[in-house]
Amino acid sequence: MKNIDSNTHVSGTSVYLDDVPVMNGTLFGAAFESPSAHGVIRELILDDALRIPGVVRVFTAADIPGQNEIGGIIKDEPLLADTHVHFCGMPVAFVVARTREAARAAVKKIRIRIDALPVITDPREAQAKGELIIPPRTFRQGDTDLAWPQCTHIFTGNADINGQEHLYIETQGAYVIPQEHNSLRIYSSTQGPTAVQRVVAAITGASMHQFEVIVTRLGGGFGGKEDQANTWAALCALAAWILKKPVKYALHRMEDMAMTGKRHPYAADFKIGLDKDLKILAYEVSFFQNAGASADLSPAVLARTLFHCTNAYYIPHVKATAWSCRTHLPPNTAFRGFGGPQGMFVIEAAIAKAARVLQVDAALIQKTNLIATGQTFPYGQIAASEAGTCWDKAETLYDVVEQQRKVQLFNTENKLLKKGIAFMPICFGISFTNTMMNNARSLVHVYSDGSVGISTGAVEMGQGVNTKILQVAAQTFSIPANKIKLNHTSTYTIANTSPSAASATADLNGKATLIACNAILDRLKQLAAEAFHVTPADITLENGHVLVNQQPSSWNWQQLVTTAFAQRINLSEHGHYATPEIHYDAVKEKGHPFAYHVYGTAILEATVDCLRGTYTIDTVKVVHDFGNSMNTDIDRGQIEGGIVQGIGWMTLEEVIYDREGKLRSNALSTYKVPDIYAVPKTIAIDALQTTRDNLAVFRSKAVGEPPLMYGIGAWFALHNAIRAFHPHADIPFITPMTPEKVLLALYSKTNTETNQQHAETVSHLGSDL
Ligand code: MTE
Ligand code: HPA
Ligand code: MOS
């Protein structure tokens, strides 16, 4: 089935925040942001700003009637800076004016005097100074101390992983319209309507039921609007609440880039031990997460880094510790993969390190250690693994032996162009790691004319969730898609929602819809059974017709509904779904946190220009575990998009803050995102169709985040291409691998560690390898 939004997208009639008609009398907001990363506010001078014609009012922390607090997991984040500023870009004041231009002109006239305090931008420095968001967490399996003496090879190293700008096409924004009885209607570009509602209630000091948060759709969220849409909605709501006028604020791109948090940069130290057969016996890793100035979602992101620190591998002895470090950067936040990708990069780096010193193909170590069904992850869940199946299928389907032969031939024939191949297996757990968040509701109405309206807590952000939910209803009622409409998301219709995140939106809201549709269907079948003097089990619906014992009857869907309506049968249902089977003990750090895992293997090939350091990622060939995809077009779109976004993170996109904590890569001229030339010429996707039962909606596994992690392979394909040019190149595990870094590595001094250990290893291994 086609994505139900394709026509409106192509014709430009899909409604985003900025397409919501603006009423007469609407005021426009603009935030004044802190120019310093850390300091004490001594003076805030608003006089000049207030003199700009059209300016209505400038709000500061003192104007907040409720709590000046927007923190979700930890209450550590003011909406507007009060006495201190904690990052460059932190909102300090909110100007409201009759026009956008006046609001922005007034922002430029605000003066602030700040007494500077020391600025920390580096997570290791923050950790050393005890600047932690939460106490460190450690995941353990086996006993690494006992395992090290058993290891034939032990390697240590470190990694520095940079962040990533979300660059959703639609920037953050909100439009708030006062309603009667002290309530507000809030249009917000948010993944979490309930989070916006909760924060607005806290800021105004009122109750959640006074706030209707409406989301039409998002022009992308990618995690950046899971928590960080709250700020703009809260600022507009504050002004609308006090002025009793509609207030709108949609951020300019540069405002958005400067004021919002990004994917978390991480620093990491690793130690990996292998036996003589290249089995990984032990792995110790320390993660230093750059959380930014307040918690935001960092503690949850940190957890997922630990959950995915062994990627798709089974390692019997693991000790992984993670520190969430407070720095003076904008609070970093959810981003597709939610900390998982950072954890996975480090284990891949550790394997690459072992491979380059041992002079073996990393793929051999990867393949040797893939997790098998029945083996346990460090957090205690037992794997139902497709890791080996995906890998083996990719190897044969894409004829890797031949690909490797061609690459070797290319590398011998070319002096200044070198190719590299990397395998990237993935394993990603599906469910919010916070068990209580795994629930959703759906409100299904069958109207008396037989048409169907559905509202859920799901936010459509381009990932196609509304199409999938529609498919659930169409299939359950056995009626055509054009009889069903998915409504916008509203906190008045569906309450207490978890954000649309964790790749679980279609599973959670789709299953709630299934429950609601089935409840209505049961009532309709009961009615038909009575009319035809059979039991409900004898009634089925097929293509809009009512079948009795598989034989056509005189009734169709329309008559069934009309009769039910006439007999006063309830044609509406509110379905509630809570994922079964999952549990987690955060004290023991053991449990069964995920409904299931998504697996896959990608094979990436890259070519490096060894004169210039430039490169292309040529091909990405994937075998992906879809379970049983309910919409292959949408799922392929998610995989292609995820791969390109992952490649961008690993290769081009370089978030740069200077030592004063100011964002230098603050526009698209200084922050390079993938363009069409960065997209691999070939992206081949093969569906591993499995018959194993799983908890996904219609057994169609979640697909939103996992494919991003295939992009990690781009870094290692480049690494391997560089080594084809300079076998003992010094290639630090730093991301992104920009052309500048490639050039430095191509002409780096010989990495003595690799060279020396190489000599030792060869003599030590003898004929083993
Ligand atoms: N795809 C598009 N087009 N736009 C997005 O914003 N967000 C990603 C992924 N794919 C996103 C996307 C992220 S971070 C998540 S968690 C999932 O979609 C959320 O949607 P799902 O739960 O329906 O997969
Ligand atoms: N994934 C994504 N978003 C989340 C999660 C998670 O596990 N937990 C809270 N928000
Ligand atoms: Mo996605 S990072 O869970 O919004």
Side-chain angles (χ1 to χ4, degrees):
M1 186 185 160
K2 263 202 333 202
N3 188 318
I4 55 171
D5 294 328
S6 46
N7 285 333
T8 53
H9 280 358
V10 171
S11 60
T13 49
S14 297
V15 176
Y16 299 87
L17 178 77
D18 230 17
D19 300 306
V20 174
V22 172
M23 331 175 56
N24 249 341
T26 292
L27 302 174
F28 297 88
F32 170 73
E33 47 180 296
S34 170
S36 316
H38 193 200
V40 186
I41 302 176
R42 290 299 174 205
E43 206 179 358
L44 187 65
I45 307 158
L46 305 174
D47 310 5
D48 289 348
L50 288 165
R51 273 197 283 273
I52 298 276
V55 169
V56 175
R57 187 157 164 181
V58 181
F59 292 88
T60 64
D63 298 309
I64 296 173
Q67 298 162 280
N68 182 16
E69 178 57 61
I70 60 168
I73 299 176
I74 298 174
K75 302 274 165 251
D76 69 345
E77 187 176 2
L79 173 67
L80 289 168
D82 188 356
T83 54
H84 288 69
V85 292
H86 298 282
F87 62 92
C88 279
M90 181 175 186
V92 181
F94 188 57
V95 177
V96 173
R98 291 204 175 78
T99 63
R100 290 180 186 85
E101 294 71 22
R104 290 205 159 86
V107 162
K108 294 205 180 96
K109 294 285 182 195
I110 295 178
R111 297 279 166 270
I112 191 166
R113 207 157 55 72
I114 293 170
D115 282 353
L117 290 169
V119 173
I120 302 176
T121 58
D122 173 39
R124 288 183 192 266
E125 184 188 342
Q127 191 262 357
K129 292 187 169 148
E131 288 290 340
L132 299 180
I133 301 275
I134 50 164
R137 284 176 75 168
T138 299
F139 281 25
R140 279 192 181 84
Q141 170 150 274
D143 188 333
T144 46
D145 290 336
L146 296 179
W148 297 121
Q150 322 277 318
C151 297
T152 315
H153 317 286
I154 295 174
F155 306 101
T156 59
N158 50 63
D160 261 293
I161 305 157
N162 207 335
Q164 185 176 21
E165 164 62 42
H166 298 86
L167 219 91
Y168 22 65
I169 295 179
E170 179 193 31
T171 55
Q172 304 264 7
Y175 181 30
V176 179
I177 307 166
Q179 308 288 308
E180 62 178 6
H181 297 309
N182 266 329
S183 62
L184 299 176
R185 173 180 296 161
I186 301 161
Y187 291 95
S188 166
S189 181
T190 180
Q191 292 172 243
T194 294
V196 167
Q197 187 189 25
R198 180 181 49 71
V199 163
V200 169
I203 292 294
T204 52
S207 306
M208 285 171 78
H209 71 299
Q210 288 162 278
F211 305 106
E212 178 180 28
V213 181
I214 297 177
V215 186
T216 57
R217 64 172 67 256
L218 308 187
F222 304 111
K225 296 171 182 170
E226 183 173 333
D227 241 35
Q228 299 211 349
N230 297 353
T231 306
W232 327 107
L235 288 172
C236 291
L238 169 69
W241 186 254
I242 291 173
L243 298 173
K244 314 246 176 277
K245 290 269 170 58
V247 178
K248 180 174 172 178
Y249 183 28
L251 276 65
H252 279 174
R253 179 63 66 187
M254 284 175 81
E255 291 174 329
D256 192 306
M257 289 177 87
M259 290 195 267
T260 64
K262 323 210 172 297
R263 184 189 290 287
H264 292 79
Y266 275 69
D269 296 326
F270 62 79
K271 179 174 175 186
I272 190 169
L274 300 86
D275 72 9
K276 63 173 181 28
D277 302 319
L278 302 180
K279 278 262 179 217
I280 305 172
L281 292 184
Y283 181 56
E284 280 185 10
V285 58
S286 299
F287 294 106
F288 305 94
Q289 178 198 53
N290 192 334
S294 51
D296 191 275
L297 290 162
S298 297
V301 171
L302 189 84
R304 209 175 256 282
T305 302
L306 290 168
F307 282 114
H308 296 303
C309 73
T310 55
N311 190 12
Y313 309 110
Y314 172 67
I315 306 179
H317 304 280
V318 177
K319 184 179 168 205
T321 302
W323 282 271
S324 182
C325 311
R326 192 188 299 277
T327 60
H328 299 105
L329 299 184
N332 287 312
T333 194
F335 196 138
R336 205 173 194 171
F338 207 74
Q342 292 93 324
M344 286 158 66
F345 180 84
V346 181
I347 183 71
E348 294 303 330
I351 290 172
K353 173 91 185 245
R356 75 190 182 197
V357 181
L358 296 173
Q359 300 284 308
V360 299
D361 189 351
L364 188 57
I365 303 179
Q366 291 172 305
K367 187 180 178 179
T368 306
N369 292 283
L370 292 174
I371 193 161
T373 297
Q375 291 179 323
T376 36
F377 292 101
Y379 47 91
Q381 185 159 341
I382 297 166
S385 179
E386 307 290 358
T389 358
C390 289
W391 182 290
D392 293 344
K393 191 176 182 194
E395 261 187 350
T396 42
L397 182 70
Y398 300 123
D399 197 353
V400 173
V401 176
E402 176 60 10
Q403 189 182 355
Q404 277 161 339
R405 195 191 60 79
K406 281 193 184 145
V407 163
Q408 261 160 26
L409 186 67
F410 180 94
N411 286 345
T412 30
E413 286 175 348
N414 289 275
K415 219 173 145 190
L416 292 175
L417 288 178
K418 295 290 180 190
K419 282 182 179 288
I421 296 182
F423 276 72
M424 185 63 206
I426 62 156
C427 168
F428 196 77
I430 302 301
S431 288
F432 288 94
T433 57
N434 179 359
T435 302
M436 70 160 279
M437 293 174 77
N438 294 286
N439 66 84
R441 281 147 302 284
S442 172
L443 182 60
V444 177
H445 297 308
V446 176
Y447 293 96
S448 57
D449 68 352
S451 63
V452 176
I454 302 177
S455 306
T456 73
V459 168
E460 176 60 58
M461 56 186 123
Q463 86 279 39
V465 66
N466 281 352
T467 304
K468 289 184 174 179
I469 291 172
L470 190 149
Q471 284 180 271
V472 169
Q475 195 161 320
T476 310
F477 289 144
S478 196
I479 56 174
N482 64 11
K483 281 224 175 300
I484 305 170
K485 181 171 176 289
L486 261 287
N487 299 318
H488 65 221
T489 318
S490 160
T491 55
Y492 274 4
T493 333
I494 301 292
N496 308 322
T497 60
S498 292
S500 285
S503 305
T505 318
D507 279 2
L508 297 174
N509 294 276
K511 288 216 165 183
T513 302
L514 186 60
I515 288 168
C517 291
N518 275 329
I520 296 171
L521 190 62
D522 284 348
R523 293 196 283 268
L524 293 174
K525 283 185 175 175
Q526 178 69 41
L527 167 74
E530 281 162 21
F532 293 105
H533 308 292
V534 292
T535 67
D538 301 326
I539 305 289
T540 45
L541 291 173
E542 213 175 282
N543 295 328
H545 292 284
V546 178
L547 307 188
V548 179
N549 287 317
Q550 300 304 318
Q551 298 304 312
S553 75
S554 54
W555 280 12
N556 60 17
W557 167 259
Q558 176 63 64
Q559 279 156 309
L560 183 61
V561 170
T562 314
T563 313
F565 179 64
Q567 297 197 10
R568 297 182 292 169
I569 287 169
N570 177 8
L571 289 170
S572 298
E573 188 74 23
H574 184 248
H576 170 83
Y577 175 73
T579 313
E581 295 174 27
I582 53 173
H583 55 88
Y584 195 69
D585 182 335
V587 176
K588 296 197 180 97
E589 300 287 17
K590 296 281 177 196
H592 187 104
F594 299 120
Y596 56 89
H597 290 87
V598 172
Y599 295 85
T601 294
I603 305 164
L604 300 92
E605 187 179 311
T607 309
V608 169
D609 178 328
C610 301
L611 218 47
R612 297 178 180 85
T614 53
Y615 51 75
T616 52
I617 309 300
D618 305 316
T619 61
V620 182
K621 299 176 192 164
V622 176
V623 172
H624 185 84
D625 161 29
F626 288 96
N628 186 5
S629 172
M630 68 188 284
N631 193 316
T632 49
D633 285 349
I634 285 176
D635 287 355
R636 269 166 198 276
Q638 284 294 295
I639 293 188
E640 290 176 2
I643 287 174
V644 173
Q645 200 167 34
I647 290 174
W649 172 48
M650 280 287 115
T651 63
L652 303 171
E653 301 181 38
E654 194 162 31
V655 177
I656 299 175
Y657 289 97
D658 63 21
R659 260 186 231 135
E660 280 72 53
K662 221 182 185 69
L663 183 69
R664 290 296 170 184
S665 51
N666 67 346
L668 288 172
S669 53
T670 45
Y671 185 77
K672 177 84 180 127
V673 287
D675 55 17
I676 193 64
Y677 302 104
V679 175
K681 283 186 200 69
T682 306
I683 297 181
I685 300 162
D686 181 74
L688 183 80
Q689 291 287 353
T690 61
T691 49
R692 205 198 294 266
D693 198 18
N694 64 44
L695 285 171
V697 60
F698 288 168
R699 292 208 316 104
S700 177
K701 284 191 174 183
V703 73
E705 294 166 285
L708 179 125
M709 284 150 270
Y710 293 133
I712 295 172
W715 195 99
F716 293 93
L718 291 171
H719 166 268
N720 294 342
I722 295 166
R723 289 181 65 240
F725 180 79
H726 177 0
H728 298 291
D730 187 11
I731 316 174
F733 295 107
I734 298 176
T735 78
M737 183 77 96
T738 55
E740 295 89 326
K741 295 216 193 79
V742 171
L743 201 57
L744 286 170
L746 286 167
Y747 298 96
S748 58
K749 291 212 183 81
T750 290
N751 183 332
T752 49
E753 188 188 13
T754 312
N755 214 8
Q756 204 176 318
Q757 286 214 20
H758 173 215
E760 282 167 23
T761 313
V762 170
S763 64
H764 171 77
L765 284 173
S767 56
D768 264 31
L769 290 168

